[in-house]
Amino acid sequence: MRYVEIAIPEGRRGAVLGVLDDAGINYVMSDETSGARYSSVVRFPVPTNAVEPVLDDLAQVDLEDAHVVVVNAETVVSEAFDEVRDQYSASGAGGARTSRQVLRTKADEFTPALSIYLVMLLISAVVATAGLLADSPAVVVGSMVIAPLLGPALAASVGIVTGDDALRRGGFRYQVLGVSVVVLASIGLATLARLAGLEPAGVDIVLVAELEERVSPNLFSVLVALGAGVAGILSLTRGFSEAIVGVMIAAALIPPAAAVGITTAWGMNGAALGALILVTVNLLSINLAALVTLWVAGYRPQGLFEVSPTRRATMRYIGVFGVGLLVLAVPLAGLTLNDFQTTELEATAQDEVERILDDPQYNEVTNDDVTVVLDDDYPARSVERVIVVVKGFDPGPDPELSDRIYVAIREKTDASFLVEVQYVVAEERGETDEERIVRTAGADG
């Protein structure tokens, strides 16, 4: 429920009361005696879903100079109010959604002052960079919690559909500025870490699990950002938890942006490009999902054939976001296909090794592990070698077995890579086995 107070300009009192009477709204009227240009003040409670249509009707009677305040109402005890609530519920006036007028205010409130925004993002960037370098999921999640990205991520879309140019420009400016700050701060911190010799994964920094998944993105990464955009708008329009949704939006932007900075500091341009693609795709996905969700929720001109600046702007931005996302989805589709092929190769190699070792002459050895190792050519990585580990009490090396494994795996693919067979000796000691790698045999293709 909402409680609305309107300071009516001189000469518009009759028009305002006519709209309220037609809507069946019970109101309280008082004279304005402050000497301002308002003649009277009217106050009335309305259901949440009635705020937008009532204010739209009032806008039709030339109330541009009116002063309107909308606040939450805890309880209204009135038979007349119950009738109004039933009327708007029966008319299907948008369910319990937030009005456009309130939506703009909420989107603006979620965007902090620029100084606070920058300070919080710097802190988030430091925490995210430290978490990625330390390979700590808990620390990375902490960086998402403190990032104030909900307001900027949604303000642009709200500004587009409501025709608020200042809100739209502010939303886009804050988004670009926020990502840039995180990238630059991460470059600085990662450079210091590198100069200090802090390389948790050795020379190849992206072997860190938390970092590796951000530099080789795939199409599934887009789903997180799309879901964040939809959930963000629902949090504004339906009153869901904004804090949780804010973390979801930050999850799509903060770690990938920090990954761009870290890989740039390490001079890994391919990995930095992969992370940058992910950041860009997530930004487009969040804005597109938010804009489409607002459109579907009814925050648009209502006439089927109505052509207005708001409608044109909305469709234009949907087109720009959609085309940009489709263009960037092409390399992501290639990376996704590469992931599937790698998984398929590992499963095939596993099956072939098991089939060969089922031969009676290899009863003394078993398959211990099959691993597909990719090269360092980020973001589009290729298979570098397949490592097969066989185990037994006296396993070899057996050149014939190595050749059979090599031929069986290579027959299943046209790619060129090394097949490496490692032999592990298991020494029985009572009920336990102690394993040690003794020799390696390989075949190069």
Side-chain angles (χ1 to χ4, degrees):
M1 294 176 292
R2 299 289 186 265
Y3 192 69
V4 182
E5 177 180 289
I6 304 175
I8 306 173
E10 294 281 354
R12 308 307 304 166
R13 176 170 176 170
V16 171
L17 298 185
V19 170
L20 299 182
D21 289 335
D22 291 341
I25 294 175
N26 202 12
Y27 54 85
V28 175
M29 176 72 69
S30 62
D31 292 332
E32 170 58 47
T33 59
S34 65
R37 51 196 172 93
Y38 303 109
S39 63
S40 53
V41 177
V42 62
R43 303 175 182 86
F44 53 91
V46 288
T48 300
N49 56 345
V51 173
E52 184 173 345
V54 169
L55 294 183
D56 286 344
D57 290 340
L58 289 172
Q60 299 300 317
V61 297
D62 191 18
L63 281 183
E64 293 182 0
D65 295 333
H67 184 74
V68 181
V69 178
V70 180
V71 297
N72 289 328
E74 294 293 336
T75 304
V76 177
V77 181
S78 170
E79 293 184 2
F81 177 80
D82 293 339
E83 293 176 1
V84 173
R85 180 171 52 194
D86 294 340
Q87 170 191 336
Y88 280 95
S89 298
S91 64
R97 72 172 197 173
T98 302
S99 67
R100 293 197 313 273
Q101 296 81 1
V102 175
L103 183 65
R104 288 187 349 194
T105 302
K106 292 181 66 175
D108 187 56
E109 288 176 350
F110 284 141
T111 303
L114 182 59
S115 58
I116 299 298
Y117 182 66
L118 293 177
V119 169
M120 294 300 292
L121 279 177
L122 284 173
I123 297 173
S124 179
V126 170
V127 175
T129 304
L132 291 175
L133 289 175
D135 196 19
S136 173
V139 176
V140 174
V141 171
S143 70
M144 306 171 193
V145 174
I146 61 179
L149 292 177
L150 176 62
L154 304 179
S157 297
V158 173
I160 291 171
V161 299
T162 59
D164 190 330
D165 292 337
L167 189 62
R168 171 181 57 82
R169 289 192 298 267
F172 284 138
R173 183 171 63 251
Y174 267 60
Q175 289 182 67
V176 174
L177 180 62
V179 171
S180 301
V181 166
V182 174
V183 172
L184 293 176
S186 298
I187 290 176
L189 185 61
T191 300
L192 292 176
R194 188 181 185 187
L195 293 176
L198 303 177
E199 299 185 13
V203 177
D204 189 1
I205 187 67
V206 294
L207 289 181
V208 175
E210 281 294 311
L211 190 58
E212 186 175 16
E213 65 185 57
R214 269 94 187 187
V215 299
S216 293
N218 53 43
L219 285 177
F220 297 110
S221 306
V222 180
L223 299 179
V224 176
L226 290 174
V230 174
I233 291 300
L234 292 179
S235 72
L236 290 183
T237 60
R238 303 292 176 172
F240 297 155
S241 174
E242 292 89 0
I244 296 176
V245 176
V247 173
M248 188 176 181
I249 291 177
L253 297 177
I254 295 297
V260 175
I262 293 172
T263 50
T264 299
W266 252 262
M268 304 187 67
N269 296 330
L273 176 61
L276 181 60
I277 290 175
L278 179 58
V279 172
T280 307
V281 166
N282 286 350
L283 275 173
L284 291 172
S285 299
I286 290 172
N287 283 275
L288 177 62
L291 201 52
V292 172
T293 303
L294 284 170
W295 184 269
V296 172
Y299 293 93
R300 61 183 187 273
Q302 297 302 309
L304 180 61
F305 300 103
E306 180 179 355
V307 179
S308 70
T310 300
R311 179 183 292 274
R312 286 194 296 267
T314 302
M315 298 309 296
R316 181 170 63 250
Y317 278 103
I318 287 178
V320 170
F321 294 150
V323 170
L325 189 57
L326 287 176
V327 170
L328 291 177
V330 173
L332 289 185
L335 295 176
T336 304
L337 179 61
N338 185 62
D339 289 343
F340 284 152
Q341 292 174 340
T342 300
T343 302
E344 183 181 12
L345 174 61
E346 186 168 347
T348 300
Q350 181 78 35
D351 293 340
E352 290 301 315
V353 173
E354 293 287 353
R355 180 183 61 81
I356 292 172
L357 294 183
D358 283 341
D359 192 313
Q361 64 177 309
Y362 302 118
N363 284 339
E364 300 299 321
V365 294
T366 59
N367 177 25
D368 189 54
D369 187 38
V370 175
T371 305
V372 176
V373 179
L374 303 180
D375 60 25
D376 299 331
D377 189 16
Y378 294 92
R381 306 173 68 188
S382 302
V383 177
E384 182 178 87
R385 64 185 183 276
V386 176
I387 300 177
V388 179
V389 180
V390 294
K391 177 178 65 175
F393 294 112
D394 187 17
D398 187 338
E400 179 184 357
L401 174 60
S402 299
D403 289 341
R404 287 188 63 180
I405 292 175
Y406 165 74
V407 171
I409 294 176
R410 286 304 313 277
E411 284 180 348
K412 301 299 182 178
T413 178
D414 296 329
S416 177
F417 51 82
L418 175 72
V419 177
E420 183 178 301
V421 181
Q422 297 180 351
Y423 295 87
V424 176
V425 176
E427 296 180 357
E428 185 175 2
R429 294 183 178 180
E431 304 254 336
T432 64
D433 292 340
E434 181 180 343
E435 301 174 334
R436 56 188 174 86
I437 297 179
V438 292
R439 281 181 292 273
T440 298
D444 192 2

